[in-house]
Amino acid sequence: MRKPIVTFAVWAFALATGLGAARAEKAYGPGVTDTEITLGANAPYSGPASIYASFPKTMLAYFAMLNEKGGINGRHINLLTRDDAYSPPKTVEVTRALVENDKVLAIMAPFGTPTNAAIQKYLNTNGVPQLLVQSGGTRWNDPKQFPWTTPYSPTYVNESRIIARYVLREKPDAKIGVLLQADDIGKDFVLGLKEGLGAKADAMIVKEATYQSTEPTIDSQIVNLKASGADTVLIAAQNKFASMAIRKIHELGWKPLIFLGSTANSIAGVLVPAGLEASTGILTTTSYKTPNDPEWANDKGMTDYLAFVAKYLPGMDPNDVIAVTGYTTAQLGAIILQRCGDDLTRENVLKQATNLSGIVLPMLLPGITIQTTPQDYAAITERRFARFDGKTWVLFGDIVGAGPAKD
């Protein structure tokens, strides 16, 4: 039997009218009153990942919009974001303060792979939901070891498996070079690439070049990749470094087939700084509609998003996929809280987050829905390929998935 599809429009109506909210006896966890729900999150407002600051800013703006409309089940959302400068020790510091001093109900959409890894054990030991983690690491979907951690992003392993399958089909003799961040981001991308290539992995991957997020330049890594004879490059990097890599490849006159990981496929944050000419022809995978793609000009979800950015985030580039991600994550977070009704305990927040079926969000590509179960927390597992044409990402092919549970 097919699972029911729950559209965002239906949910929004229920939120506005109070339909579907649980009306049992009230039960409150930390950070909850009859009028307010307090949440917390680390955020990269400064440091090497500060280009992602548009994510928490969009989350804050979305909850501000909801609060203007009465909040969620009559309660305003107070999201406390604290700058951790993308530094794991600082992440621990700000997270402990949010939990122990600010008494937040949950950590909502915390950002980063090394930063979330630094707080995962602490939050799970203390029974604090680490909801909708903004990282594609596989470690976030481990209900047995870390039951209080739930992922949002598609995993890097699945993403690179999908890319590997494309290469095997379209360029089976490729010589692949990989630029990877020296942490779980890079490790997961390489793992999925090798799994996807299978027996051909050792022969096809000719060079792996790593970098630290504190390095000022990655020019030498790109020069080494070119010298390896690679004719295909997977960039498993964050925005700043992906942009530098694309620009350096262009400066060298090198013409490999480039795959850009979804960690860094922002037009505004990566491709424009790298140079539109240098970026033309790059491939990526995505789960989102691209705002400046004419295909969505008359799409209701897109027009609502653009109106939201214009009103609540003036001056922000609506084509920034980081903002699109923040908008969509905030919508999903609101759905989880709405479904809690008056049972706003940490236990029920986790229960609602891990029992989502057929949720359709307006900025996800048609056919991609949110599905979670207590045994499999992965929220999004599917995506489509896109090619940058010098102006926007142009989608091609069908929706593809690579997860063992939801392929």
Side-chain angles (χ1 to χ4, degrees):
M1 185 174 70
R2 293 183 64 187
K3 293 181 179 179
I5 300 296
V6 181
T7 67
F8 182 79
V10 170
W11 169 79
F13 178 76
L15 177 62
T17 62
L19 295 178
R23 294 303 177 190
E25 185 176 348
K26 294 178 181 179
Y28 293 166
V32 181
T33 69
D34 284 345
T35 59
E36 186 175 77
I37 301 171
T38 301
L39 308 165
N42 65 298
Y45 289 118
S46 63
S50 60
I51 196 168
Y52 293 92
S54 55
F55 176 83
K57 291 176 182 178
T58 306
M59 293 276 296
L60 289 167
Y62 188 84
F63 285 129
M65 179 187 71
L66 284 189
N67 289 340
E68 287 183 5
K69 298 177 180 179
I72 297 175
N73 295 334
R75 298 178 182 87
H76 280 209
I77 304 303
N78 181 22
L79 176 61
L80 306 176
T81 60
R82 299 289 185 258
D83 184 19
D84 67 354
Y86 197 65
S87 167
K90 183 67 173 178
T91 309
V92 173
E93 177 185 332
V94 301
T95 302
R96 290 182 69 97
L98 287 165
V99 172
E100 297 170 20
N101 299 336
D102 297 301
K103 307 296 184 183
V104 298
L105 175 64
I107 299 298
M108 176 70 76
F111 179 85
T113 298
T115 46
N116 269 290
I119 58 176
Q120 187 175 23
K121 185 176 180 180
Y122 167 76
L123 294 174
N124 277 264
T125 298
N126 289 278
V128 181
Q130 186 181 15
L131 298 178
L132 306 179
V133 171
Q134 296 301 300
S135 160
T138 55
R139 64 184 294 158
W140 318 126
N141 186 14
D142 188 354
K144 291 184 179 180
Q145 186 172 358
F146 297 111
W148 292 91
T149 300
T150 75
Y152 171 80
S153 308
T155 70
Y156 306 135
V157 169
N158 283 4
E159 179 176 355
S160 53
R161 281 190 195 132
I162 290 169
I163 291 170
R165 293 175 184 176
Y166 178 92
V167 172
L168 287 174
R169 184 177 68 250
E170 301 294 333
K171 197 174 181 180
D173 297 324
K175 297 178 180 178
I176 305 170
V178 186
L179 175 70
L180 61 144
Q181 187 161 304
D183 60 13
D184 284 349
I185 295 175
K187 292 176 184 176
D188 279 358
F189 266 108
V190 171
L191 174 62
L193 184 66
K194 290 181 177 178
E195 288 181 355
L197 294 174
K200 291 188 173 184
D202 288 343
M204 294 182 73
I205 301 174
V206 296
K207 183 69 175 179
E208 297 174 19
T210 63
Y211 73 89
Q212 301 288 340
S213 62
T214 54
E215 292 187 42
T217 178
I218 53 169
D219 284 1
S220 63
Q221 286 92 331
I222 300 304
V223 169
N224 288 337
L225 286 175
K226 182 177 186 293
S228 73
D231 57 20
T232 302
V233 174
L234 170 59
I235 299 177
Q238 289 194 350
N239 277 8
K240 170 185 173 182
F241 298 95
S243 187
M244 289 193 293
I246 294 166
R247 185 167 60 247
K248 186 62 177 179
I249 288 171
H250 184 69
E251 290 173 354
L252 292 172
W254 187 20
K255 303 290 185 181
L257 174 63
I258 301 174
F259 291 91
L260 188 58
S262 61
T263 52
N265 61 9
S266 169
I267 295 174
V270 175
L271 304 186
V272 170
L276 296 180
E277 181 182 354
S279 302
T280 299
I282 288 177
L283 302 182
T284 193
T285 66
T286 184
S287 299
Y288 297 108
K289 300 169 184 174
T290 301
N292 68 349
D293 183 347
E295 180 176 351
W296 313 114
N298 299 312
D299 179 80
K300 177 66 163 56
M302 182 62 71
T303 56
D304 287 348
Y305 165 75
L306 293 174
F308 161 80
V309 173
K311 181 175 180 180
Y312 293 94
L313 294 164
M316 181 175 287
D317 186 344
N319 291 300
D320 184 358
V321 71
I322 303 165
V324 175
T325 305
Y327 179 79
T328 306
T329 306
Q331 289 175 333
L332 185 56
I335 289 173
I336 291 168
L337 294 172
Q338 185 270 338
R339 290 185 168 198
C340 288
D342 287 333
D343 183 359
L344 283 159
T345 59
R346 286 171 170 169
E347 291 76 12
N348 194 38
V349 169
L350 179 66
K351 177 182 177 181
Q352 300 305 323
T354 56
N355 285 276
L356 299 170
S357 178
I359 304 295
V360 176
L361 297 176
M363 288 299 287
L364 288 178
L365 291 171
I368 296 179
T369 61
I370 304 293
Q371 308 279 355
T372 65
T373 70
Q375 295 76 40
D376 185 357
Y377 287 2
I380 304 173
T381 62
E382 298 168 313
R383 56 184 70 230
R384 286 182 67 185
F385 276 99
R387 179 180 288 104
F388 187 65
D389 69 355
K391 295 181 180 179
T392 190
W393 289 113
V394 179
L395 296 165
F396 65 92
D398 298 324
I399 291 174
V400 290
K406 299 179 182 179
D407 198 355

